[in-house]
Amino acid sequence: MDEKVRDSFADRVLVERLIAGDERALGELYDSHSGFVYALALRVIGDPQAAEDVTQEVFVMFWQMPERFDTTRGSLRAFLGTLAHRRAVDHIRREEARRRRETKSTFEPPSVPAVEDIALSSATSREVRKVVNRLPADQRQALELAYFNGYTYRQVANVLGIPEGTAKSRLRLALRRIAEAIYSETSEQWV
Amino acid sequence: MGMTVDPPDPTGETHEDTNATDDLIAAFSIDAVGPDEAGRVEAMLASSASAAAEEANYRIAGAEFAASILGPTTAGTAATGTSLDGSRPIGLRPDQLDSAGADRPTNSLDGSRPTDLRPPRTLRDRVLKAALQARRPARDLDISPVSLHRIEAQRLITMVRDLAADDWTRPMDPPEFAGWTVGDTFAHIAAAEGLFAQLLGLELPEAPETGLGNEERTASVQARHRTMHPGDAVDEYETLAAAIDSTVSSLPEEALEAEIEWWGAPMPIASVLVHRAFETWTHHDDIRRAVGLGQSPPPPESINAMSRQACEMVPLFLATIGQVYEGETAHIVLTGEGGGSYLVDLGFGPRPATEPPVFELRMDAVDFCRAIANRIPPGGYPTEIGGDAAKARALVSALPNLAGL
């Protein structure tokens, strides 16, 4: 089996076991993917405690409803990543709203966590890495701001001083390039 | 809304200001729209499968993007907040932010800067504990071996009480039952049930001694039953099954793990109950076939319990063909009512901690049980196999080999 098929098979096996209520599978799920989920949450939120909360929410939710993951669409890592991202973004927007209500603080540029010594089990495929590394700088910049800072495309446009439509298009173009790389590796059709 | 592959656009700018809907879906997929637009996109996705599929593709792409950035090989670039060439921080000036983002705090709420993206060790326990408290693993199909046995005995009694007088003398299908009638098959069930009762300490004055082998014991009970009215034979069986049920029902759970000598091998009482239920079901369907009735599988709970126990016997099945795979596991997914998902050992030794299963075998749960009972031949039912097909096929070929032993 090639790597992609093996990963997909392993994902399927793990999810089937989770659906069957196999508690050991829950531990294996955590061991395989908590590095990515936590790192993503921390990267977006910047607060370790909140990142831990998000990580917990993601795994508890998945344990409760593992059947929501469609093994034919994307990897388990990607699915967990989207859960983590949504929750992390919700967190910072809630915090943002709270701060707006409570104080008027001076904006400071977001600090971003350093990632030295990071060891994540969820290495992405070579094709995807290649495409990400070759993304046009403006598209990648827009995507990083939206994804890792939790900005809306309007905020991205504001930050970069570009029209909102342009920011939106850059996001789409970048995502599409990556999606095409993912789907070029599988027999699945990009709809 | 299908995704079409546009001509190459090296700058990435040529499509800007076009595909407004696609753009919005893409932004939505990575949570980059405000609540007003999110509602609109959600409505769109709910009404268009192709839009929903497109959004899913973008969403997966976003997560894979994050994985590629956060992964070890590319970790140094974006995660440290520098531009592509590493020359400058990604542009974030306060005067560039709109009102929604102007009061965005530092990423770290207390202003400190996280230096390690690895989850703390303590988080594992916390997460697993919270998950296990949030949902007990599915136990909807739980059934005790005692209930399992009782249900199958009752199902058999109900069926045979409805048989016409001449049904009892109908021949069974060859070749499994050389010369047996329906009545003989029923006597065979009663013979094994009688042995079980005796091993549990019940007095059965008319039963053969416990040391007799299966064939002799069966022949003895068959001979006696042939002198009885079928209704009386059913009454006797019902009394026997009820006595067993009463005995095992009164035992504490741990006592069901006590072993008795079942056909020459020590086996916990709980397992014998499952075996008895399995054999009763199998012969129940044999009789139905002989009298022209359709098959009648047990309830899902019973299928689940029986197939689960059979999965624990996979090394034994493989041993019958001399192909045990020590240190390897497989994943068996049984579909349909009463199905389940099982990680099974392919050998008798310790299970490896990290190696993935070498194959996945997916088949219907009832077919699985019937294959083990040797009532359908290997290849006589659909299977899906992933991974090491040769080993999976070896297991499938070995499934009937313990029947009748």
Side-chain angles (χ1 to χ4, degrees):
Chain A
M1 285 189 283
D2 68 29
E3 187 185 346
K4 190 90 183 172
V5 174
R6 197 177 59 235
D7 286 351
S8 157
F9 179 57
D11 280 358
R12 247 175 74 183
V13 169
L14 195 57
V15 171
E16 295 280 6
R17 289 172 58 204
L18 289 164
I19 290 171
D22 182 342
E23 294 173 13
R24 209 172 64 159
L26 176 63
E28 290 171 29
L29 177 81
Y30 181 89
D31 293 340
S32 299
H33 298 289
S34 61
F36 174 53
V37 167
Y38 176 80
L40 177 54
L42 183 58
R43 182 67 181 78
V44 173
I45 304 172
D47 171 25
Q49 188 53 52
E52 287 185 34
D53 292 344
V54 166
T55 304
Q56 178 171 322
E57 273 181 57
V58 166
F59 284 97
V60 170
M61 172 181 244
F62 196 80
W63 171 245
Q64 289 175 308
M65 290 185 290
E67 60 282 348
R68 278 187 54 198
F69 171 59
D70 178 355
T71 52
T72 64
R73 294 203 70 83
S75 66
L76 188 50
R77 173 191 58 217
F79 186 80
L80 294 169
T82 59
L83 291 181
H85 188 256
R86 170 65 61 89
R87 270 146 201 77
V89 169
D90 283 350
H91 177 91
I92 58 174
R93 289 186 187 159
R94 271 198 314 269
E95 285 298 314
E96 215 169 70
R98 187 178 64 79
R99 276 188 166 63
R100 266 205 305 279
R101 283 196 306 273
E102 290 177 3
T103 61
K104 270 288 179 191
S105 67
T106 308
F107 175 80
E108 297 171 45
S111 73
V112 285
V115 291
E116 292 82 9
D117 301 326
I118 183 168
L120 298 170
S121 63
S122 52
T124 195
S125 80
R126 203 167 48 186
E127 270 308 302
V128 171
R129 284 199 303 269
K130 197 157 68 179
V131 167
V132 169
N133 284 331
R134 289 180 184 170
L135 279 179
D138 50 9
Q139 288 177 21
R140 177 165 169 164
Q141 189 181 37
L143 189 53
E144 285 176 348
L145 285 171
Y147 209 90
F148 289 126
N149 286 62
Y151 286 175
T152 65
Y153 73 86
R154 287 183 175 136
Q155 289 172 309
V156 171
N158 229 315
V159 166
L160 298 178
I162 57 175
E164 290 178 357
T166 303
K168 234 177 352 180
S169 285
R170 286 183 186 174
L171 295 177
R172 172 178 63 83
L173 289 165
L175 289 171
R176 198 171 89 172
R177 281 172 195 267
I178 298 164
E180 284 172 347
I182 294 167
Y183 284 84
S184 73
E185 293 185 321
T186 69
S187 57
E188 292 168 51
Q189 293 301 305
W190 167 242
V191 297
Chain B
M1 181 184 333
M3 174 61 72
T4 55
V5 177
D6 291 343
D9 52 347
T11 66
E13 299 287 342
T14 55
H15 295 269
E16 289 180 10
D17 299 318
T18 63
N19 295 316
T21 304
D22 279 358
D23 288 354
L24 193 59
I25 289 174
F28 173 86
S29 76
I30 55 168
D31 312 306
V33 296
D36 51 332
E37 287 174 317
R40 193 148 60 86
V41 177
E42 278 164 2
M44 197 189 311
L45 301 182
S47 63
S48 165
S50 62
E54 187 170 304
E55 190 271 342
N57 286 333
Y58 285 137
R59 193 157 23 87
I60 291 163
E64 292 294 351
F65 165 75
S68 78
I69 298 290
L70 294 173
T73 56
T74 54
T77 314
T80 51
T82 54
S83 60
L84 276 179
D85 60 6
S87 61
R88 59 186 167 77
I90 291 172
L92 294 169
R93 296 197 315 270
D95 59 345
Q96 289 176 310
L97 286 171
D98 66 6
S99 58
D103 55 354
R104 173 73 53 84
T106 61
N107 264 7
S108 179
L109 295 181
D110 63 3
S112 68
R113 180 186 170 97
T115 55
D116 193 347
L117 288 185
R118 284 171 304 194
R121 284 180 195 282
T122 52
L123 184 57
R124 186 180 198 276
D125 280 350
R126 177 184 141 187
V127 168
L128 298 193
K129 196 172 163 196
L132 294 177
Q133 280 174 348
R135 181 198 97 175
R136 282 177 59 81
R139 289 288 185 239
D140 295 340
L141 289 174
D142 245 8
I143 182 172
S144 75
V146 173
S147 301
L148 182 64
H149 174 266
R150 182 192 305 133
I151 289 168
E152 286 313 296
Q154 280 301 330
R155 284 187 349 110
L156 175 69
I157 290 163
T158 303
M159 189 270 289
V160 295
R161 284 212 188 280
D162 282 344
L163 293 180
D166 59 350
D167 283 335
W168 284 90
T169 55
R170 285 184 197 277
M172 299 297 291
D173 283 346
E176 308 96 297
F177 306 98
W180 283 11
T181 63
V182 165
D184 291 338
T185 305
F186 184 73
H188 169 65
I189 301 170
E193 198 74 355
L195 174 65
F196 187 28
Q198 288 170 298
L199 295 174
L200 289 172
L202 298 172
E203 293 288 338
L204 296 182
E206 301 204 40
E209 56 166 306
T210 56
L212 274 188
N214 194 0
E215 281 184 26
E216 294 88 344
R217 164 172 283 270
T218 292
S220 166
V221 177
Q222 282 173 337
R224 199 168 54 78
H225 273 209
R226 282 181 198 129
T227 67
M228 296 167 67
H229 186 277
D232 292 338
V234 176
D235 286 346
E236 186 181 281
Y237 171 81
E238 188 168 22
T239 304
L240 185 61
I244 292 173
D245 184 60
S246 169
T247 302
V248 293
S249 295
S250 66
L251 293 175
E253 203 169 321
E254 58 273 17
L256 290 176
E257 293 308 312
E259 291 183 339
I260 58 175
E261 193 81 359
W262 186 244
W263 298 123
M267 190 180 282
I269 292 170
S271 299
V272 177
L273 285 164
V274 180
H275 275 239
R276 287 297 314 127
F278 187 71
E279 190 185 345
T280 304
W281 163 33
T282 300
H283 292 316
H284 175 156
D285 268 352
D286 290 337
I287 293 173
R288 294 179 73 93
R289 195 167 58 244
V291 300
L293 293 172
Q295 302 289 283
S296 175
E301 296 84 355
S302 302
I303 295 286
N304 185 265
M306 293 186 222
S307 52
R308 191 169 53 220
Q309 178 152 329
C311 281
E312 292 170 8
M313 296 165 63
V314 162
L316 287 173
F317 292 125
L318 290 170
T320 65
I321 53 170
Q323 294 188 34
V324 171
Y325 308 106
E326 287 301 341
E328 296 186 346
T329 59
H331 184 225
I332 295 181
V333 180
L334 300 178
T335 56
E337 286 197 319
S341 174
Y342 308 98
L343 184 69
V344 302
D345 293 311
L346 301 184
F348 297 98
R351 179 179 287 186
T354 56
E355 289 301 309
V358 294
F359 67 79
E360 178 183 86
L361 170 63
R362 183 180 287 260
M363 61 185 289
D364 178 76
V366 173
D367 283 351
F368 182 70
C369 292
R370 296 184 70 225
I372 288 166
N374 198 18
R375 293 305 188 268
I376 45 173
Y381 47 88
T383 57
E384 281 178 51
I385 289 172
D388 191 327
K391 289 177 182 171
R393 280 194 290 267
L395 174 60
V396 169
S397 76
L399 288 180
N401 290 358
L402 291 178
L405 289 183

